mmCIF file of all heavy atoms in Angstrom:
data_model
loop_
_atom_site.group_PDB
_atom_site.id
_atom_site.type_symbol
_atom_site.label_atom_id
_atom_site.label_comp_id
_atom_site.label_asym_id
_atom_site.label_seq_id
_atom_site.Cartn_x
_atom_site.Cartn_y
_atom_site.Cartn_z
ATOM 1 N N TRP A 195 12.329 9.987 7.205
ATOM 2 C CA TRP A 195 11.538 10.990 7.918
ATOM 3 C C TRP A 195 11.052 11.989 6.890
ATOM 4 O O TRP A 195 11.832 12.790 6.354
ATOM 5 C CB TRP A 195 12.400 11.644 8.993
ATOM 6 C CG TRP A 195 11.625 12.351 10.069
ATOM 7 C CD1 TRP A 195 10.753 11.798 10.946
ATOM 8 C CD2 TRP A 195 11.697 13.749 10.394
ATOM 9 N NE1 TRP A 195 10.263 12.752 11.810
ATOM 10 C CE2 TRP A 195 10.827 13.959 11.497
ATOM 11 C CE3 TRP A 195 12.404 14.828 9.885
ATOM 12 C CZ2 TRP A 195 10.648 15.216 12.070
ATOM 13 C CZ3 TRP A 195 12.228 16.072 10.457
ATOM 14 C CH2 TRP A 195 11.356 16.265 11.542
ATOM 15 N N THR A 196 9.761 11.936 6.585
ATOM 16 C CA THR A 196 9.208 12.632 5.423
ATOM 17 C C THR A 196 8.140 13.623 5.860
ATOM 18 O O THR A 196 7.248 13.284 6.629
ATOM 19 C CB THR A 196 8.596 11.622 4.448
ATOM 20 O OG1 THR A 196 9.503 10.547 4.252
ATOM 21 C CG2 THR A 196 8.293 12.279 3.114
ATOM 22 N N ASN A 197 8.239 14.844 5.333
ATOM 23 C CA ASN A 197 7.247 15.873 5.642
ATOM 24 C C ASN A 197 7.296 16.947 4.571
ATOM 25 O O ASN A 197 7.816 16.704 3.474
ATOM 26 C CB ASN A 197 7.492 16.453 7.044
ATOM 27 C CG ASN A 197 8.945 16.844 7.258
ATOM 28 O OD1 ASN A 197 9.472 17.695 6.551
ATOM 29 N ND2 ASN A 197 9.598 16.208 8.230
ATOM 30 N N CYS A 198 6.779 18.118 4.883
ATOM 31 C CA CYS A 198 6.692 19.186 3.881
ATOM 32 C C CYS A 198 7.931 20.074 3.827
ATOM 33 O O CYS A 198 7.923 21.082 3.106
ATOM 34 C CB CYS A 198 5.457 20.044 4.154
ATOM 35 S SG CYS A 198 3.906 19.146 3.950
ATOM 36 N N ARG A 199 8.983 19.692 4.535
ATOM 37 C CA ARG A 199 10.215 20.466 4.479
ATOM 38 C C ARG A 199 11.419 19.631 4.069
ATOM 39 O O ARG A 199 12.261 20.085 3.284
ATOM 40 C CB ARG A 199 10.504 21.134 5.830
ATOM 41 C CG ARG A 199 9.577 22.288 6.172
ATOM 42 C CD ARG A 199 10.206 23.176 7.239
ATOM 43 N NE ARG A 199 11.373 23.865 6.742
ATOM 44 C CZ ARG A 199 12.252 24.511 7.513
ATOM 45 N NH1 ARG A 199 12.091 24.523 8.827
ATOM 46 N NH2 ARG A 199 13.285 25.127 6.978
ATOM 47 N N VAL A 200 11.506 18.408 4.604
ATOM 48 C CA VAL A 200 12.698 17.601 4.357
ATOM 49 C C VAL A 200 12.335 16.139 4.172
ATOM 50 O O VAL A 200 11.312 15.669 4.659
ATOM 51 C CB VAL A 200 13.701 17.720 5.537
ATOM 52 C CG1 VAL A 200 14.225 19.136 5.671
ATOM 53 C CG2 VAL A 200 13.061 17.254 6.846
ATOM 54 N N HIS A 201 13.201 15.433 3.430
ATOM 55 C CA HIS A 201 13.196 13.977 3.364
ATOM 56 C C HIS A 201 14.574 13.539 3.857
ATOM 57 O O HIS A 201 15.574 13.729 3.167
ATOM 58 C CB HIS A 201 12.967 13.482 1.940
ATOM 59 C CG HIS A 201 11.551 13.610 1.476
ATOM 60 N ND1 HIS A 201 11.002 12.788 0.516
ATOM 61 C CD2 HIS A 201 10.561 14.471 1.837
ATOM 62 C CE1 HIS A 201 9.737 13.130 0.297
ATOM 63 N NE2 HIS A 201 9.458 14.165 1.088
ATOM 64 N N MET A 202 14.618 12.934 5.045
ATOM 65 C CA MET A 202 15.897 12.544 5.630
ATOM 66 C C MET A 202 15.872 11.061 5.977
ATOM 67 O O MET A 202 14.876 10.548 6.516
ATOM 68 C CB MET A 202 16.194 13.365 6.889
ATOM 69 C CG MET A 202 16.381 14.848 6.628
ATOM 70 S SD MET A 202 17.085 15.753 8.040
ATOM 71 C CE MET A 202 15.806 15.527 9.272
ATOM 72 N N GLY A 203 16.961 10.367 5.661
ATOM 73 C CA GLY A 203 17.093 8.966 5.997
ATOM 74 C C GLY A 203 17.707 8.799 7.368
ATOM 75 O O GLY A 203 18.794 9.323 7.635
ATOM 76 N N PHE A 204 17.008 8.089 8.235
ATOM 77 C CA PHE A 204 17.505 7.793 9.583
ATOM 78 C C PHE A 204 17.891 6.314 9.612
ATOM 79 O O PHE A 204 17.017 5.438 9.580
ATOM 80 C CB PHE A 204 16.439 8.076 10.640
ATOM 81 C CG PHE A 204 16.042 9.525 10.758
ATOM 82 C CD1 PHE A 204 14.849 9.889 11.370
ATOM 83 C CD2 PHE A 204 16.855 10.542 10.247
ATOM 84 C CE1 PHE A 204 14.479 11.226 11.496
ATOM 85 C CE2 PHE A 204 16.489 11.875 10.353
ATOM 86 C CZ PHE A 204 15.302 12.224 10.973
ATOM 87 N N LEU A 205 19.181 6.006 9.669
ATOM 88 C CA LEU A 205 19.657 4.619 9.617
ATOM 89 C C LEU A 205 20.240 4.205 10.963
ATOM 90 O O LEU A 205 20.868 5.001 11.663
ATOM 91 C CB LEU A 205 20.729 4.456 8.530
ATOM 92 C CG LEU A 205 20.393 4.954 7.121
ATOM 93 C CD1 LEU A 205 21.486 4.545 6.143
ATOM 94 C CD2 LEU A 205 19.043 4.446 6.669
ATOM 95 N N GLY A 206 20.034 2.925 11.295
ATOM 96 C CA GLY A 206 20.583 2.393 12.523
ATOM 97 C C GLY A 206 19.798 2.772 13.759
ATOM 98 O O GLY A 206 20.357 2.808 14.860
ATOM 99 N N ILE A 207 18.513 3.030 13.607
ATOM 100 C CA ILE A 207 17.684 3.434 14.744
ATOM 101 C C ILE A 207 16.933 2.225 15.282
ATOM 102 O O ILE A 207 16.792 1.192 14.610
ATOM 103 C CB ILE A 207 16.686 4.545 14.352
ATOM 104 C CG1 ILE A 207 15.774 4.087 13.201
ATOM 105 C CG2 ILE A 207 17.437 5.808 13.947
ATOM 106 C CD1 ILE A 207 14.714 5.081 12.801
ATOM 107 N N THR A 208 16.440 2.349 16.488
ATOM 108 C CA THR A 208 15.659 1.291 17.120
ATOM 109 C C THR A 208 14.220 1.715 17.358
ATOM 110 O O THR A 208 13.368 0.878 17.630
ATOM 111 C CB THR A 208 16.302 0.890 18.461
ATOM 112 O OG1 THR A 208 16.412 2.057 19.293
ATOM 113 C CG2 THR A 208 17.682 0.289 18.231
ATOM 114 N N GLU A 209 13.953 3.014 17.273
ATOM 115 C CA GLU A 209 12.607 3.546 17.478
ATOM 116 C C GLU A 209 12.286 4.551 16.373
ATOM 117 O O GLU A 209 13.177 5.258 15.882
ATOM 118 C CB GLU A 209 12.486 4.232 18.841
ATOM 119 C CG GLU A 209 12.694 3.312 20.034
ATOM 120 C CD GLU A 209 12.601 4.069 21.336
ATOM 121 O OE1 GLU A 209 12.469 5.318 21.286
ATOM 122 O OE2 GLU A 209 12.661 3.437 22.397
ATOM 123 N N GLU A 210 11.017 4.622 16.018
ATOM 124 C CA GLU A 210 10.591 5.596 15.017
ATOM 125 C C GLU A 210 10.663 7.010 15.584
ATOM 126 O O GLU A 210 10.382 7.231 16.764
ATOM 127 C CB GLU A 210 9.156 5.303 14.563
ATOM 128 C CG GLU A 210 9.001 3.985 13.829
ATOM 129 C CD GLU A 210 7.550 3.657 13.518
ATOM 130 O OE1 GLU A 210 6.669 4.432 13.962
ATOM 131 O OE2 GLU A 210 7.292 2.642 12.851
ATOM 132 N N VAL A 211 11.026 7.937 14.722
ATOM 133 C CA VAL A 211 11.007 9.348 15.087
ATOM 134 C C VAL A 211 9.641 9.903 14.707
ATOM 135 O O VAL A 211 9.227 9.783 13.549
ATOM 136 C CB VAL A 211 12.127 10.126 14.369
ATOM 137 C CG1 VAL A 211 12.084 11.604 14.742
ATOM 138 C CG2 VAL A 211 13.481 9.517 14.704
ATOM 139 N N PRO A 212 8.916 10.473 15.645
ATOM 140 C CA PRO A 212 7.547 10.931 15.345
ATOM 141 C C PRO A 212 7.511 11.904 14.171
ATOM 142 O O PRO A 212 8.321 12.835 14.102
ATOM 143 C CB PRO A 212 7.110 11.615 16.648
ATOM 144 C CG PRO A 212 7.971 11.006 17.703
ATOM 145 C CD PRO A 212 9.285 10.723 17.049
ATOM 146 N N PRO A 213 6.576 11.701 13.239
ATOM 147 C CA PRO A 213 6.479 12.594 12.071
ATOM 148 C C PRO A 213 5.849 13.928 12.437
ATOM 149 O O PRO A 213 4.992 14.012 13.321
ATOM 150 C CB PRO A 213 5.607 11.820 11.098
ATOM 151 C CG PRO A 213 4.756 10.947 11.973
ATOM 152 C CD PRO A 213 5.603 10.587 13.160
ATOM 153 N N ILE A 214 6.260 14.972 11.732
ATOM 154 C CA ILE A 214 5.700 16.317 11.890
ATOM 155 C C ILE A 214 5.477 16.867 10.491
ATOM 156 O O ILE A 214 6.407 16.908 9.686
ATOM 157 C CB ILE A 214 6.647 17.249 12.685
ATOM 158 C CG1 ILE A 214 6.967 16.630 14.055
ATOM 159 C CG2 ILE A 214 6.032 18.629 12.839
ATOM 160 C CD1 ILE A 214 8.034 17.402 14.820
ATOM 161 N N LYS A 215 4.259 17.307 10.195
ATOM 162 C CA LYS A 215 3.952 17.735 8.830
ATOM 163 C C LYS A 215 4.721 18.983 8.433
ATOM 164 O O LYS A 215 5.291 19.057 7.341
ATOM 165 C CB LYS A 215 2.441 17.970 8.686
ATOM 166 C CG LYS A 215 2.017 18.281 7.254
ATOM 167 C CD LYS A 215 0.511 18.323 7.115
ATOM 168 C CE LYS A 215 0.101 18.555 5.664
ATOM 169 N NZ LYS A 215 -1.364 18.562 5.477
ATOM 170 N N TYR A 216 4.737 19.992 9.296
ATOM 171 C CA TYR A 216 5.464 21.238 9.012
ATOM 172 C C TYR A 216 6.483 21.485 10.124
ATOM 173 O O TYR A 216 6.249 22.276 11.033
ATOM 174 C CB TYR A 216 4.493 22.418 8.926
ATOM 175 C CG TYR A 216 3.503 22.327 7.783
ATOM 176 C CD1 TYR A 216 2.176 21.970 8.023
ATOM 177 C CD2 TYR A 216 3.890 22.594 6.479
ATOM 178 C CE1 TYR A 216 1.261 21.881 6.979
ATOM 179 C CE2 TYR A 216 2.986 22.509 5.438
ATOM 180 C CZ TYR A 216 1.673 22.155 5.695
ATOM 181 O OH TYR A 216 0.770 22.066 4.652
ATOM 182 N N PRO A 217 7.611 20.775 10.083
ATOM 183 C CA PRO A 217 8.583 20.933 11.164
ATOM 184 C C PRO A 217 9.276 22.296 11.107
ATOM 185 O O PRO A 217 9.601 22.798 10.030
ATOM 186 C CB PRO A 217 9.577 19.806 10.909
ATOM 187 C CG PRO A 217 9.500 19.576 9.432
ATOM 188 C CD PRO A 217 8.066 19.830 9.056
ATOM 189 N N THR A 218 9.501 22.868 12.260
ATOM 190 C CA THR A 218 10.304 24.092 12.360
ATOM 191 C C THR A 218 11.780 23.718 12.330
ATOM 192 O O THR A 218 12.144 22.531 12.342
ATOM 193 C CB THR A 218 9.975 24.832 13.658
ATOM 194 O OG1 THR A 218 10.367 23.990 14.763
ATOM 195 C CG2 THR A 218 8.485 25.136 13.750
ATOM 196 N N ASP A 219 12.622 24.733 12.303
ATOM 197 C CA ASP A 219 14.065 24.465 12.354
ATOM 198 C C ASP A 219 14.419 23.678 13.609
ATOM 199 O O ASP A 219 15.223 22.730 13.568
ATOM 200 C CB ASP A 219 14.845 25.776 12.328
ATOM 201 C CG ASP A 219 14.748 26.470 10.975
ATOM 202 O OD1 ASP A 219 14.163 25.872 10.037
ATOM 203 O OD2 ASP A 219 15.242 27.616 10.854
ATOM 204 N N ASP A 220 13.825 24.049 14.728
ATOM 205 C CA ASP A 220 14.105 23.349 15.985
ATOM 206 C C ASP A 220 13.608 21.906 15.935
ATOM 207 O O ASP A 220 14.246 20.998 16.494
ATOM 208 C CB ASP A 220 13.456 24.084 17.159
ATOM 209 C CG ASP A 220 14.160 25.391 17.499
ATOM 210 O OD1 ASP A 220 15.362 25.516 17.155
ATOM 211 O OD2 ASP A 220 13.520 26.284 18.091
ATOM 212 N N ASP A 221 12.464 21.675 15.263
ATOM 213 C CA ASP A 221 11.956 20.309 15.136
ATOM 214 C C ASP A 221 12.938 19.435 14.357
ATOM 215 O O ASP A 221 13.170 18.273 14.708
ATOM 216 C CB ASP A 221 10.598 20.309 14.426
ATOM 217 C CG ASP A 221 9.496 20.924 15.268
ATOM 218 O OD1 ASP A 221 9.589 20.859 16.505
ATOM 219 O OD2 ASP A 221 8.551 21.491 14.674
ATOM 220 N N ILE A 222 13.507 19.991 13.293
ATOM 221 C CA ILE A 222 14.482 19.237 12.497
ATOM 222 C C ILE A 222 15.738 18.956 13.321
ATOM 223 O O ILE A 222 16.284 17.839 13.296
ATOM 224 C CB ILE A 222 14.824 20.007 11.208
ATOM 225 C CG1 ILE A 222 13.562 20.174 10.341
ATOM 226 C CG2 ILE A 222 15.907 19.284 10.415
ATOM 227 C CD1 ILE A 222 13.756 21.047 9.119
ATOM 228 N N LYS A 223 16.209 19.958 14.053
ATOM 229 C CA LYS A 223 17.387 19.760 14.928
ATOM 230 C C LYS A 223 17.119 18.652 15.941
ATOM 231 O O LYS A 223 17.964 17.774 16.175
ATOM 232 C CB LYS A 223 17.718 21.054 15.657
ATOM 233 C CG LYS A 223 18.195 22.199 14.781
ATOM 234 C CD LYS A 223 18.418 23.442 15.641
ATOM 235 C CE LYS A 223 18.734 24.656 14.813
ATOM 236 N NZ LYS A 223 18.906 25.882 15.639
ATOM 237 N N ASN A 224 15.934 18.679 16.538
ATOM 238 C CA ASN A 224 15.599 17.677 17.553
ATOM 239 C C ASN A 224 15.515 16.277 16.951
ATOM 240 O O ASN A 224 15.914 15.292 17.587
ATOM 241 C CB ASN A 224 14.276 18.041 18.229
ATOM 242 C CG ASN A 224 14.372 19.300 19.075
ATOM 243 O OD1 ASN A 224 15.463 19.671 19.534
ATOM 244 N ND2 ASN A 224 13.245 19.974 19.267
ATOM 245 N N ALA A 225 14.981 16.169 15.721
ATOM 246 C CA ALA A 225 14.898 14.864 15.074
ATOM 247 C C ALA A 225 16.286 14.307 14.803
ATOM 248 O O ALA A 225 16.548 13.110 15.022
ATOM 249 C CB ALA A 225 14.098 14.982 13.778
ATOM 250 N N ILE A 226 17.184 15.155 14.311
ATOM 251 C CA ILE A 226 18.565 14.720 14.057
ATOM 252 C C ILE A 226 19.233 14.285 15.359
ATOM 253 O O ILE A 226 19.916 13.247 15.422
ATOM 254 C CB ILE A 226 19.353 15.849 13.378
ATOM 255 C CG1 ILE A 226 18.778 16.133 11.983
ATOM 256 C CG2 ILE A 226 20.840 15.501 13.287
ATOM 257 C CD1 ILE A 226 19.358 17.354 11.306
ATOM 258 N N SER A 227 19.023 15.051 16.411
ATOM 259 C CA SER A 227 19.600 14.721 17.715
ATOM 260 C C SER A 227 19.047 13.398 18.230
ATOM 261 O O SER A 227 19.781 12.587 18.824
ATOM 262 C CB SER A 227 19.309 15.846 18.703
ATOM 263 O OG SER A 227 19.781 15.531 20.000
ATOM 264 N N ASN A 228 17.761 13.164 18.017
ATOM 265 C CA ASN A 228 17.125 11.923 18.434
ATOM 266 C C ASN A 228 17.798 10.726 17.776
ATOM 267 O O ASN A 228 18.079 9.704 18.417
ATOM 268 C CB ASN A 228 15.638 11.978 18.080
ATOM 269 C CG ASN A 228 14.849 10.781 18.586
ATOM 270 O OD1 ASN A 228 15.390 9.751 18.942
ATOM 271 N ND2 ASN A 228 13.536 10.932 18.613
ATOM 272 N N VAL A 229 18.066 10.825 16.486
ATOM 273 C CA VAL A 229 18.711 9.723 15.757
ATOM 274 C C VAL A 229 20.111 9.465 16.296
ATOM 275 O O VAL A 229 20.525 8.312 16.503
ATOM 276 C CB VAL A 229 18.742 10.032 14.246
ATOM 277 C CG1 VAL A 229 19.551 8.974 13.504
ATOM 278 C CG2 VAL A 229 17.335 10.113 13.686
ATOM 279 N N HIS A 230 20.855 10.518 16.529
ATOM 280 C CA HIS A 230 22.215 10.351 17.037
ATOM 281 C C HIS A 230 22.216 9.711 18.417
ATOM 282 O O HIS A 230 23.098 8.900 18.752
ATOM 283 C CB HIS A 230 22.930 11.697 17.062
ATOM 284 C CG HIS A 230 23.297 12.188 15.695
ATOM 285 N ND1 HIS A 230 23.511 13.525 15.406
ATOM 286 C CD2 HIS A 230 23.478 11.526 14.518
ATOM 287 C CE1 HIS A 230 23.816 13.669 14.131
ATOM 288 N NE2 HIS A 230 23.803 12.468 13.568
ATOM 289 N N LYS A 231 21.225 10.047 19.239
ATOM 290 C CA LYS A 231 21.131 9.442 20.568
ATOM 291 C C LYS A 231 20.837 7.950 20.475
ATOM 292 O O LYS A 231 21.209 7.177 21.367
ATOM 293 C CB LYS A 231 20.050 10.134 21.383
ATOM 294 C CG LYS A 231 20.424 11.546 21.827
ATOM 295 C CD LYS A 231 19.282 12.199 22.608
ATOM 296 C CE LYS A 231 19.664 13.614 23.031
ATOM 297 N NZ LYS A 231 18.546 14.289 23.765
ATOM 298 N N GLN A 232 20.171 7.527 19.399
ATOM 299 C CA GLN A 232 19.892 6.102 19.202
ATOM 300 C C GLN A 232 21.078 5.368 18.574
ATOM 301 O O GLN A 232 21.013 4.154 18.345
ATOM 302 C CB GLN A 232 18.666 5.925 18.303
ATOM 303 C CG GLN A 232 17.357 6.420 18.896
ATOM 304 C CD GLN A 232 16.167 6.072 18.015
ATOM 305 O OE1 GLN A 232 16.010 4.922 17.595
ATOM 306 N NE2 GLN A 232 15.318 7.052 17.734
#
Side-chain angles (χ1 to χ4, degrees):
W195 199 63
T196 313
N197 49 61
C198 295
R199 288 200 67 193
V200 296
H201 285 207
M202 295 193 297
F204 295 161
L205 308 188
I207 58 177
T208 57
E209 297 178 355
E210 295 174 355
V211 179
I214 304 173
K215 186 172 183 178
Y216 296 104
T218 64
D219 291 354
D220 288 337
D221 291 331
I222 298 174
K223 294 177 187 178
N224 292 336
I226 295 172
S227 176
N228 185 343
V229 173
H230 287 157
K231 289 178 181 178
Q232 294 186 50

